Amino acid sequence: MNWIIDDLKNALAQLKRWQTWLVIGLLGIFALLAYLVGKVALKTDALLSFLRHTTGSCRQLTNLNIILLFCGMIFFFFSAVLTLGEIQRYIEFRQRGADYQARQAVFWAIGWGSVTIGIAIAALVFFNSFCR
């Protein structure tokens, strides 16, 4: 039974580290962006529009638009995972004292994070252009 208490103590100790809060913040930002895109995307759903459950009037999406949005969703997910991986690499390199590799990891984390945010903003702009 002591192992449960030890695990809880370890979890609370992790919450005192700034790295944990950085990752939690990034996960929150990515989840918020995915929620906003999903919320706007549901306005364009043909079935919801037919049943009059959406709040806006949207044009129908073509097959090409649906394919591009699906691919964008996949790239959003992969770039978000790459961003979190680069943050993990940065933390590990800083702990080992490898400054050059840590700078490279930060550079790539900023790049992949920008791509992730760019994909989400592009999706929001795209959906807003289809809806009134």
Side-chain angles (χ1 to χ4, degrees):
M1 197 61 133
N2 286 337
W3 63 272
I4 295 175
I5 295 171
D6 292 337
D7 284 347
L8 288 175
K9 286 181 182 178
N10 289 337
L12 289 175
Q14 289 297 322
L15 289 176
K16 294 178 182 176
R17 300 177 65 195
W18 66 270
Q19 295 96 337
T20 304
W21 290 105
L22 175 69
V23 171
I24 290 172
L26 282 174
L27 287 172
I29 289 170
F30 294 153
L32 176 68
L33 287 172
Y35 170 76
L36 291 174
V37 170
K39 183 179 173 184
V40 176
L42 286 176
K43 289 181 183 178
T44 64
D45 186 43
L47 183 60
L48 291 177
S49 296
F50 178 74
L51 295 174
R52 304 213 186 274
H53 288 297
T54 60
T55 59
S57 173
C58 298
R59 295 179 289 172
Q60 289 284 45
L61 295 175
T62 63
N63 287 339
L64 177 64
N65 291 339
I66 292 170
I67 291 169
L68 290 175
L69 288 171
F70 183 73
C71 291
M73 174 189 66
I74 291 170
F75 287 125
F76 173 81
F77 174 74
F78 284 147
S79 60
V81 170
L82 281 169
T83 303
L84 294 172
E86 291 297 330
I87 293 295
Q88 180 183 2
R89 282 185 60 219
Y90 167 74
I91 293 168
E92 287 178 10
F93 285 139
R94 289 298 289 174
Q95 288 174 349
R96 294 181 185 165
D99 292 333
Y100 178 75
Q101 287 88 355
R103 279 195 302 271
Q104 291 297 317
V106 166
F107 171 74
W108 284 106
I110 291 171
W112 284 115
S114 300
V115 168
T116 305
I117 292 171
I119 290 171
I121 290 173
L124 285 172
V125 168
F126 176 78
F127 280 123
N128 282 331
S129 70
F130 267 79
C131 297
R132 294 181 215 149

